[in-house]
Amino acid sequence: MVSPFWVQATKPPPEGLIFGEMAMSNMNDAMGLCVRYGKAESQYQTEFEPATGTLWGYFNPSDGTPCYSLGLLNDILEHDRQLMANRCRVDVNGMQFPVHNYVTASRIPGVFNVGGDLALFVMLIKAQDRGALSNYAKLCIDNIYPRTQAFFSPTLTKIALVQGDALGGGFECALASDVIVAEESAQMGMPEILFNLFPGMGACSLLARRIGIRAAEELILSGKILSGAEMHKLGIVDVLATDGQGETAVRNWIAKNAKRRNGLQAVHRARQFIHPITRQELDGIVDLWVDAALRLGERDLKMMQRLVRAQVRRMEATLPVPAPSMQLRPEALAAAG
C-alpha cells in the first residue's frame, strides 16, 4: 500500500489539496502529481505518477560512496520483487494502477551510480573469499536480470535517467533499460580494465546487443569514460538532454510516445526474441568475473584502492556538477596516488 501523502513533482501542492486524503475526483487527471511509497528508510526511494502510469525509482544511498552496496542492492531487489508479485501494478489508496513506465534515476547530485562496492571487493579478494564475492555478484544479477526482462511484463517500458556519473555497474543498470536518457555532461563508462578486471554483471551482454560485440569489447577494454553527448553519438544513449533538463526530457519522451505505447513496447519485447538475454548467460559471465577477480595481484588491488579514494574525493566535493579535475577519467585515475 502506498504511503498516504502526496508529493508534487515540480511545484508545491495546489491550494486545497489535503495530504493523506483523496482530494481529487480523478487522479488520472492530476498531471505531474506523484505519490511516494515504500519504506521511508530505504536506500531506493520510489514514487508513482498515476496520470501517466510512471514509477520513479531513485538511488539514495545512505552511507558514503553512491555505489551498489549490499544495502542498496537488497532494497532495490525488495521493491522490484514486490512489483513483480503485483504483476507490475501499484496500489494507491485502495486503487490499483498499471505501471507503464519505470524510470530509474538518482537523488545524489552529479552521480547516477558509480558501480560495484570496490572497497568490499578489495577486502574479499585479499581474503580470497570466493563465497562472499560470488554471493555479491549473484545479488547483482538477481537485480539486473528481471530488469532485462522488463520485470516480466509485456506492457512496461524501462527508462534510465542518467544525470552525472554512471560507471561500471551503474552504467550496466542504464544499459538494461529500453531507453537511456542522459544529460550532455553525464559521464558513462566501464573503468574496470584500469585495475585489470572487466565488468561482469551484464555489460558485455548488454553493450554487445546495442552496438555489436566488437565495438562493445573495444569500449570495455579502453576503460574510457565518455560524456552523454559522446555516448549518444555511439548510439548507446537514446535521448540526449540539456544539463538540468533530464527529467523534463523523460516526461516529454513519455508524452510523445503515449499514443503508440503498445506498439513500442511490443518492439522492445521483440528484442528478447532476436537477441535473448538469459539468466544462464549472465550467471556464466559472473562466474568468469569471480575467477578473474580472485586472480588480481597487489598492483591491481592498489589501483582499485586509488579509484575508491578518487570516488571519496568526488563525493567530498561541494560542487553539484563535478569539475574537470574531479571527473573519473582513466588518465587521472592512473596518476592518482
Side-chain angles (χ1 to χ4, degrees):
M1 177 66 68
V2 172
S3 300
F5 58 92
W6 295 99
V7 177
Q8 181 71 27
T10 57
K11 57 184 178 181
E15 186 176 354
L17 182 61
I18 303 174
F19 284 71
E21 296 183 12
M22 190 73 68
M24 295 186 176
S25 60
N26 188 353
M27 287 190 297
N28 287 297
D29 295 332
M31 295 301 297
L33 190 64
C34 291
V35 183
R36 186 179 299 171
Y37 71 99
K39 296 180 179 178
E41 70 277 10
S42 176
Q43 296 187 60
Y44 189 60
Q45 295 184 349
T46 49
E47 299 176 1
F48 183 68
E49 183 178 340
T52 60
T54 301
L55 188 161
W56 297 78
Y58 297 94
F59 299 131
N60 190 43
S62 60
D63 48 352
T65 304
C67 65
Y68 278 116
S69 65
L70 289 170
L72 177 58
L73 284 169
N74 281 311
D75 283 352
I76 297 171
L77 188 59
E78 180 181 1
H79 169 271
D80 290 349
R81 281 179 171 170
Q82 184 60 51
L83 178 68
M84 288 183 284
N86 287 344
R87 298 182 179 180
C88 291
R89 302 179 73 85
V90 171
D91 292 327
V92 180
N93 290 348
M95 300 172 62
Q96 280 204 336
F97 293 84
V99 177
H100 298 309
N101 310 287
Y102 186 165
V103 184
T104 303
S106 172
R107 293 289 194 201
I108 308 300
V111 180
F112 180 73
N113 189 290
V114 296
D117 190 339
L118 300 186
L120 177 63
F121 293 173
V122 171
M123 181 179 69
L124 296 179
I125 292 169
K126 285 185 174 181
Q128 289 292 287
D129 192 337
R130 173 180 292 274
L133 194 60
S134 180
N135 287 340
Y136 176 94
K138 296 294 186 183
L139 180 58
C140 291
I141 299 304
D142 287 343
N143 272 271
I144 205 166
Y145 176 64
R147 186 175 293 272
T148 67
Q149 307 300 307
F151 303 96
F152 306 97
S153 169
T155 57
L156 184 148
T157 299
K158 306 157 297 173
I159 304 171
L161 170 56
V162 181
Q163 298 166 298
D165 299 339
L167 307 176
F171 190 29
E172 284 171 321
C173 173
L175 289 170
S177 303
D178 299 312
V179 179
I180 300 177
V181 178
E183 295 186 353
E184 292 176 328
S185 65
Q187 299 288 311
M188 288 169 277
M190 303 289 180
E192 286 87 346
I193 197 65
L194 297 177
F195 44 84
N196 202 17
L197 202 54
F198 78 103
M201 287 71 162
C204 296
S205 301
L206 297 164
L207 262 180
R209 284 161 174 80
R210 277 186 176 260
I211 59 175
I213 189 167
R214 180 61 64 85
E217 289 177 351
E218 289 178 356
L219 183 59
I220 289 170
L221 291 174
S222 74
K224 289 181 178 179
I225 308 299
L226 302 178
S227 69
E230 291 169 316
M231 286 293 186
H232 186 252
K233 290 180 181 178
L234 290 177
I236 294 172
V237 166
D238 300 289
V239 179
L240 187 63
T242 303
D243 289 348
Q245 298 299 312
E247 182 175 323
T248 298
V250 169
R251 294 183 181 279
N252 288 343
W253 186 93
I254 290 173
K256 178 181 177 181
N257 290 283
K259 291 184 178 179
R260 63 172 188 169
R261 186 178 65 240
N262 181 62
L264 183 64
Q265 289 170 337
V267 169
H268 289 159
R269 300 295 78 78
R271 294 173 180 174
Q272 276 297 317
F273 289 94
I274 300 169
H275 294 298
I277 294 179
T278 66
R279 176 71 196 228
Q280 182 181 14
E281 176 182 335
L282 297 177
D283 283 340
I285 294 174
V286 154
D287 289 340
L288 293 176
W289 180 88
V290 172
D291 290 339
L294 292 172
R295 292 195 299 266
L296 293 180
E298 189 61 30
R299 178 180 178 277
D300 304 319
L301 295 179
K302 286 182 179 179
M303 180 59 76
M304 197 181 296
Q305 289 172 321
R306 290 173 184 171
L307 178 53
V308 172
R309 290 196 292 271
Q311 291 173 345
V312 171
R313 290 196 298 270
R314 165 70 179 84
M315 289 311 298
E316 289 176 347
T318 57
L319 294 174
V321 177
S325 61
M326 297 303 298
Q327 293 173 355
L328 303 180
R329 291 191 176 277
E331 58 269 23
L333 294 174

